[in-house]
Amino acid sequence: PCEICRMKLFCNATSPFARKVRVAMHEMGLSDRVEEVLTDPFAASPPPELLAANPLSRIPTLITDEGLALPDSKLILEWLQATQSNRLPVESARWAAARRATIAEGVIEAAVASVLEKRRPESIIMPAALDRQADAIERALDMLALESNALGDPAAVPSVANLTTGIALAYLDLRLPYLNWRQRAPSLIEWFDAFAARPSMLATARRQVNRQARHHVRRKTPDARDPESRYRSRTRRTGA
């Protein structure tokens, strides 16, 4: 346990919602003030400490240095932005940035929903549900690509909108590589590759991501070796 930490973050190594908070705290210089508690919210018996803080059994959940339990990534970021002096930059085009953040958050939500759907027994996986999520992701990528100029310099501390966009793309690489977002949205590639190399992203990356990704089909295209792979169930893993 961290002896100097004053906050506690329930998270896991793969949740994009948790990673969004972890990266934000790293960018704000708060990494040494938070103890990360690796947690499986999908366990048959979730940790009592998590349930006491968040009866929904979801991650991330942050317990602040004042003992306040915050049970959602957007809520946690809002609290950090309101209470910390070294906050993430706020874009001048506030509502346009908020819209981009919402679209990127929707990519994360649709990708996680796809992952969870594929963990059901193969006989009851709903292809229509997976198709709907994939279509939503692709439409969102099209919109984000059209506004790629708004992402600005990846070497700069990211805004919430840029942070959410980067986390969404990283999660697609991890869990849904067959969607091949780079082919769909090439204007995002250069920005994302530089963003993914930020110390905050490297510090929160899951180890051996490339090895894990080899267990997935690479692309959702007519000539893929297994074009129906997005409908196949996956061995259950901890977290999303």
Side-chain angles (χ1 to χ4, degrees):
C2 177
E3 296 182 357
I4 63 172
C5 294
R6 299 175 60 191
M7 293 183 281
K8 182 176 293 186
L9 179 68
F10 294 96
C11 60
N12 69 21
T14 58
S15 165
F17 302 109
R19 192 179 187 192
K20 184 171 62 169
V21 172
R22 295 167 68 210
V23 170
M25 298 188 85
H26 194 285
E27 294 284 353
M28 293 178 174
L30 300 174
S31 297
D32 61 351
R33 288 182 51 196
V34 61
E35 176 189 356
E36 294 187 354
V37 182
L38 297 182
T39 307
D40 180 5
F42 299 108
S45 298
E49 192 176 11
L50 171 64
L51 296 182
N54 185 352
L56 300 175
S57 187
R58 295 178 181 173
I59 55 173
T61 294
L62 178 72
I63 299 179
T64 72
D65 42 15
E66 296 179 347
L68 177 65
L70 302 176
D72 176 82
S73 63
K74 288 184 286 187
L75 180 61
I76 294 170
L77 286 184
E78 185 177 352
W79 179 82
L80 290 171
Q81 290 289 83
T83 62
Q84 304 303 306
S85 58
N86 191 27
R87 61 182 63 91
L88 300 179
V90 177
E91 297 187 36
S92 57
R94 175 188 173 188
W95 294 113
R99 181 174 59 82
R100 282 193 293 112
T102 300
I103 295 298
E105 186 83 8
V107 171
I108 295 174
E109 292 171 350
V112 169
S114 297
V115 170
L116 297 180
E117 179 68 25
K118 289 191 292 183
R119 290 187 184 164
R120 290 152 56 95
E122 191 164 339
S123 62
I124 60 173
I125 288 177
M126 296 180 62
L130 290 172
D131 287 341
R132 184 179 187 279
Q133 302 296 354
D135 289 344
I137 290 170
E138 290 176 342
R139 290 192 301 268
L141 287 171
D142 292 343
M143 179 174 289
L144 292 172
L146 285 174
E147 301 182 15
S148 58
N149 288 339
L151 292 168
D153 184 3
V157 175
S159 65
V160 171
N162 290 0
L163 169 63
T164 307
T165 299
I167 296 299
L169 297 177
Y171 191 69
L172 292 180
D173 277 345
L174 176 65
R175 292 301 202 205
L176 277 67
Y178 54 80
L179 289 182
N180 198 359
W181 70 261
R182 287 173 173 78
Q183 185 178 57
R184 182 90 185 186
S187 63
L188 298 174
I189 296 174
E190 184 177 358
W191 177 87
F192 173 74
D193 286 347
F195 176 82
R198 293 186 63 81
S200 60
M201 288 292 286
L202 297 177
T204 57
R206 181 178 180 179
R207 294 179 181 178
Q208 299 180 326
V209 166
N210 292 335
R211 179 178 63 81
Q212 177 184 329
R214 285 198 291 271
H215 294 292
H216 296 262
V217 173
R218 297 295 183 184
R219 302 172 60 181
K220 186 196 73 175
T221 59
D223 61 344
R225 279 185 282 180
D226 186 3
E228 294 185 357
S229 63
R230 62 170 162 167
Y231 305 136
R232 303 196 188 285
S233 61
R234 294 288 183 259
T235 301
R236 187 178 183 279
R237 299 188 181 91
T238 299

